[in-house]
């Protein structure tokens, strides 16, 4: 397997190409090619100037949010700063397996990176591990189901042709079950999971998360949308992939990429089927 960093970008259909709404394709390992953070900057929506009230409001949020997010049980912060046309709305969410200090450090870095990588843009989104951040002059907080503005990547390796269908079934089942687990977590909307697979890929791991201000149904629907939208197109036969959204995100890999024991353990994907029950055996017949 070549480790040459190969990066391709593709605009997501739902996003304006001009606004840098990208699906990032990465070589394996995921972290080895295009390093996080991934930014989405909206340079067409408007810019602020150095010394402006808008900038001061971003800075106020940048100083408040690391504390606010890391002190919250779900590692989540949302809110606004300023008045009139200078209001800045923001949301930050740390991964559910993160501790308070790394959450706080990640949100601090995300504000700094956003102001550098999307310099003077009023709207910026940062996808990083273990946190995401968006700020905007638009009240995107009002609509908890608005998950527009996403980035993603897949592991460029391929599962062998002989195993691909079974792998996709196992990883798909795990991703779905982890999404359901996250949706049903009423306090954090966070889930991790694992399933045993084969000798090449002994275990598959997954993670799913929504912002904790979503209902179970909203979270499930948000995750289902991104799973159904991207899996058939980008993740079939791939041993890893991830989609970042501001409202919900998921990831699966053949190595462990989160802290702690997986919250959900599925039975091994390839374990032999249980012996058929007597009633089933009775139904056997030989075609003529
Ligand atoms: C960027 O801003 C423009 C102008 O308001 C808007 O039409 C477009 O949807 C925005 N793009 C994103 C990604 O928010
Ligand atoms: C914002 O600034 C960027 C970079 O300087 C520039 O390309 C863009 O046209 C500006 N956007 C607006 C709406 O003025
Ligand atoms: C928090 O997590 C980071 C990263 O996993 C770790 O290095 C650090 O020791 C942890 N800090 C505490 C206080 O547990
Ligand atoms: C919220 O955002 C979603 C996704 O963009 C959209 O379909 C829905 O109409 C929005 N709801 C409201 C009340 O604007
Ligand atoms: C995986 O398969 C795709 C499509 O068949 C191919 O283009 C790509 O080069 C393969 N990747 C690797 C690492 O072999
Ligand atoms: C995962 O859930 C989606 C949406 O409900 C469904 O279309 C898909 O078949 C499921 N995948 C697996 C492997 O069960």
């Amino acid at each position: 397997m070549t480790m040459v960093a190969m990066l391709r970008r593709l605009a997501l259909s739902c996003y304006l190409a001009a606004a840098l709404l990208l699906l990032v394709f990465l070589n394996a390992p995921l972290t080895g090619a295009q390093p996080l953070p991934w930014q989405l900057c909206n340079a067409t929506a408007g810019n602020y100037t150095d010394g402006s009230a808008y900038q001061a409001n971003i800075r106020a949020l940048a100083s408040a949010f690391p504390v606010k997010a890391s002190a919250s049980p779900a590692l989540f912060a949302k809110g606004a700063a300023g008045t009139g046309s200078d209001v800045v709305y923001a949301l930050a969410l740390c991964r559910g397996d993160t501790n308070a200090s790394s959450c706080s450090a990640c949100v601090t870095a995300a504000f700094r990176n956003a102001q550098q990588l999307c310099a003077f843009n009023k709207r910026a989104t940062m996808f990083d591990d273990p946190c995401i951040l968006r700020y905007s002059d638009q009240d995107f907080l009002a609509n908890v189901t608005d998950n527009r503005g996403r980035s993603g990547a897949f592991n460029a390796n391929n599962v062998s042709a002989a195993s691909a269908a079974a792998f996709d079934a196992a990883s798909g089942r795990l991703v779905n079950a982890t999404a359901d687990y996250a949706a049903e977590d009423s306090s954090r909307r966070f889930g991790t999971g694992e399933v045993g697979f084969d000798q090449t890929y002994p275990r598959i791991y997954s993670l799913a998360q929504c912002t904790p201000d979503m209902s179970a149904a909203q979270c499930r629907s948000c995750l289902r949308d991104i799973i159904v939208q991207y899996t058939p197109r980008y993740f079939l036969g791939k041993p890893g992939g991830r989609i970042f959204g501001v409202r919900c995100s998921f990831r699966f890999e053949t190595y462990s990429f989160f802290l702690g024991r997986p919250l959900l353990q599925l039975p091994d994907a390839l374990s032999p089927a249980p012996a058929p029950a007597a009633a089933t055996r009775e139904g056997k017949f030989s075609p003529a």
Side-chain angles (χ1 to χ4, degrees), residues 35-286:
L36 294 168
W38 299 336
Q39 75 272 17
L40 298 177
C41 309
N42 193 336
T44 60
N47 296 325
Y48 61 88
T49 54
D50 203 17
S52 63
Y54 196 90
Q55 182 183 55
N57 292 333
I58 292 176
R59 288 180 177 174
L61 293 165
S63 81
F65 266 39
V67 178
K68 194 173 171 181
S70 61
S72 115
L75 301 174
F76 177 60
K78 65 174 176 179
T83 54
S85 61
D86 296 316
V87 180
V88 184
Y89 300 89
L91 175 160
L93 177 67
C94 294
R95 239 171 53 190
D97 57 323
T98 302
N99 63 34
S101 56
S102 55
C103 175
S104 169
C106 186
V107 174
T108 298
F111 272 101
R112 188 181 60 236
N113 290 331
Q115 291 173 86
Q116 280 171 5
L117 299 169
C118 302
F120 301 112
N121 297 158
K122 287 189 169 181
R123 300 181 193 170
T125 304
M126 303 300 304
F127 294 125
D128 203 350
D129 255 338
C131 72
I132 60 172
L133 168 71
R134 172 172 293 166
Y135 57 73
S136 177
D137 60 332
Q138 269 204 327
D139 186 6
F140 66 97
L141 301 174
N143 186 349
V144 298
T145 65
D146 184 356
N147 196 39
R148 288 174 299 173
R150 301 177 283 266
S151 281
F154 60 74
N155 185 320
N157 291 321
N158 297 310
V159 177
S160 74
S163 302
F167 184 92
D168 292 341
S171 62
R173 199 164 55 90
L174 176 67
V175 163
N176 283 356
T178 309
D180 287 343
Y181 189 103
E184 280 151 30
D185 171 359
S186 59
S187 55
R188 298 190 303 164
R189 306 286 178 223
F190 173 72
T192 55
E194 72 172 327
V195 66
F197 187 58
D198 69 1
Q199 287 191 333
T200 310
Y201 300 114
R203 312 206 71 73
I204 311 171
Y205 299 87
S206 77
L207 181 152
Q209 188 171 18
C210 300
T211 59
D213 55 347
M214 297 172 86
S215 69
Q218 288 167 335
C219 176
R220 188 176 289 107
S221 157
C222 184
L223 286 166
R224 188 172 47 227
D225 284 353
I226 56 174
I227 292 166
V228 167
Q229 184 175 355
Y230 298 109
T231 301
R233 219 162 127 197
Y234 297 113
F235 297 156
L236 294 186
K238 298 296 172 191
R242 74 191 301 171
I243 298 293
F244 272 119
V246 159
R247 288 298 180 175
C248 67
S249 302
F250 76 96
R251 180 178 184 183
F252 70 100
E253 302 289 354
T254 52
Y255 53 89
S256 177
F257 58 92
F258 48 79
L259 297 171
R261 190 164 181 272
L263 297 166
L264 173 70
Q265 259 115 16
L266 293 188
D268 286 0
L270 297 180
S271 59
T280 311
R281 268 201 303 272
E282 281 169 7
K284 274 179 85 177
F285 68 96
S286 301

